[in-house]
Amino acid sequence: MAKPLALTLGEPAGIGPDITIKAWLRRNELKLPPFYLLGDASLLRDRAKTLGLDVSLAEVGAEDALATFADALPVVATGSAATARPGQPDGNSAAAAIASIRQAVGDVVAGRASAVVTNPIAKSVLYRAGFRHPGHTEFLAELAATDGPAPQPVMMLWSPALAVVPVTIHLALRDAIAQLSGDLIVSTVRIVAAAMKTRFGLANPRLALSGLNPHAGEDGSLGTEEQTIISPAADILRAEGIDVRGPLPADTMFHDAARQTYDCAICMYHDQALIPIKTLAFDDAVNVTLGLPFVRTSPDHGTAFDIAGTGTGKANPSSLIAALRLAARMAAAQPA
């Protein structure tokens, strides 16, 4: 790789430090793409000691991370110390997590890194510190808006078994239903179709739209959103040459045979998309943000405060490893 991946610290009291160390220790075995962590080296040293892991760390600048990676885990300082103990977020957790995200985006925009990979954050900790975004996805969109309005971020959960996209993301269910619109479906699917071509190498991606209601509304007897919102949006997309089917009953979209008929399922709300992929691919699913001017991936799990720093066998780095690999793949495929 010409440029390393910029990996954020995530919530300092969570398992982000654990899985970062474990991933780096397996770099040769798994032929991982080079990455550097944006955060506090002392926190990493303390966590490695707690876990009983022998890891070499090097405090470097982003420009030296590539040459350092083979022999030591490169750590680039953000200027925000992180003193939180495993499982015990404290007052500095939010500042350290946010500084890491900001600097990772800045490094990619400046050409020092090829993509952003984010460790899990604790939204409740950020909210208490005044963070006003629903999550990573929306914050990254704001950071991407250097000139003009923020781009529309689209959250994809990807795994070898299934890729899903929720049209509405971090909203209460009643708010998600209220905000669902044909325009939002059309703009979301356009972004997904373009990304599947440019980032995933599919010349003609096959997309499947779920319904909102049970049995996709049962011809209007269980709800009319399929007739008034989703079907008209699908007609617009098909007229543009996008291969999209639906609306389909969500309860029959995710069995083995059904998954062979599409490349990505577009669902109407958060849990409709995330429950099937977390059931099928909990350890190796990757959270991907589409619609940004840079590549961003993340493990598809939370901070796991209950197991942070508790032993070498508990925090599983598989999803982070998958996120690193997918970020490198997508960055290599991105158009010049």
Side-chain angles (χ1 to χ4, degrees), residues 167 177-186 229 233:
V167 174
I177 294 170
Q179 293 191 25
L180 184 67
S181 69
D183 288 344
L184 182 59
I185 293 170
V186 168
I229 297 175

Side-chain angles (χ1 to χ4, degrees), residues 54-75:
D54 184 13
V55 58
S56 298
L57 301 177
E59 298 179 66
V60 299
E63 63 278 1
D64 298 317
L66 199 62
T68 304
F69 182 78
D71 301 312
L73 172 56
V75 180

Side-chain angles (χ1 to χ4, degrees), residues 132-151:
R132 57 183 178 81
H133 303 278
H136 259 132
T137 304
E138 297 81 1
F139 183 40
L140 289 164
E142 180 179 282
L143 294 176
T146 53
D147 296 304

Side-chain angles (χ1 to χ4, degrees), residues 41-305:
S42 62
L43 177 79
L44 268 290
R45 290 192 184 96
D46 290 345
R47 190 64 60 89
K49 183 177 180 180
T50 298
L51 294 172
L53 296 175
D54 184 13
V55 58
S56 298
L57 301 177
E59 298 179 66
V60 299
E63 63 278 1
D64 298 317
L66 199 62
T68 304
F69 182 78
D71 301 312
L73 172 56
V75 180
V76 176
T78 63
S80 184
T83 59
R85 297 179 61 79
Q88 302 174 38
D90 63 23
N92 73 55
S93 294
I98 292 170
S100 185
I101 298 167
R102 285 188 183 278
Q103 193 163 322
V105 172
D107 282 354
V108 173
V109 172
R112 293 184 289 269
S114 60
V116 174
V117 181
T118 59
N119 265 311
I121 55 175
K123 295 172 190 173
S124 61
V125 175
L126 299 186
Y127 295 157
R128 288 197 295 270
F131 189 72
R132 57 183 178 81
H133 303 278
H136 259 132
T137 304
E138 297 81 1
F139 183 40
L140 289 164
E142 180 179 282
L143 294 176
T146 53
D147 296 304
Q152 178 188 344
V154 170
M155 185 172 79
M156 170 185 279
L157 280 296
W158 179 92
S159 76
L162 175 66
V164 297
V165 167
V167 174
T168 60
I169 308 177
H170 298 115
L171 295 170
L173 184 55
R174 63 168 58 102
D175 296 331
I177 294 170
Q179 293 191 25
L180 184 67
S181 69
D183 288 344
L184 182 59
I185 293 170
V186 168
S187 62
T188 298
V189 173
R190 285 172 177 162
I191 290 169
V192 174
M196 296 293 279
K197 291 179 182 179
T198 60
R199 307 292 197 191
F200 291 88
L202 298 176
N204 187 34
R206 302 165 300 160
L207 307 178
L209 276 177
S210 77
L212 173 67
N213 298 295
H215 306 291
E218 199 74 68
D219 293 325
S221 62
L222 296 177
T224 60
E225 287 85 357
E226 286 75 16
Q227 296 168 319
T228 61
I229 297 175
I230 304 173
S231 289
D235 290 340
I236 292 171
L237 293 162
R238 283 190 285 267
E240 295 176 0
I242 296 174
D243 184 353
V244 60
R245 292 188 298 123
L248 305 173
D251 62 348
T252 58
M253 284 181 62
F254 299 107
H255 60 82
D256 288 346
R259 296 199 310 273
Q260 306 311 309
T261 65
Y262 58 81
D263 300 303
C264 182
I266 315 294
C267 300
M268 297 303 109
Y269 57 92
H270 183 278
D271 284 11
Q272 196 180 49
L274 271 64
I275 287 172
I277 194 166
K278 289 193 175 187
T279 300
L280 291 167
F282 187 82
D283 288 330
D284 58 3
V286 178
N287 189 329
V288 186
T289 304
L290 308 178
L292 302 177
F294 51 84
V295 171
R296 178 263 176 162
T297 68
S298 179
D300 182 30
H301 59 68
T303 54
F305 286 135

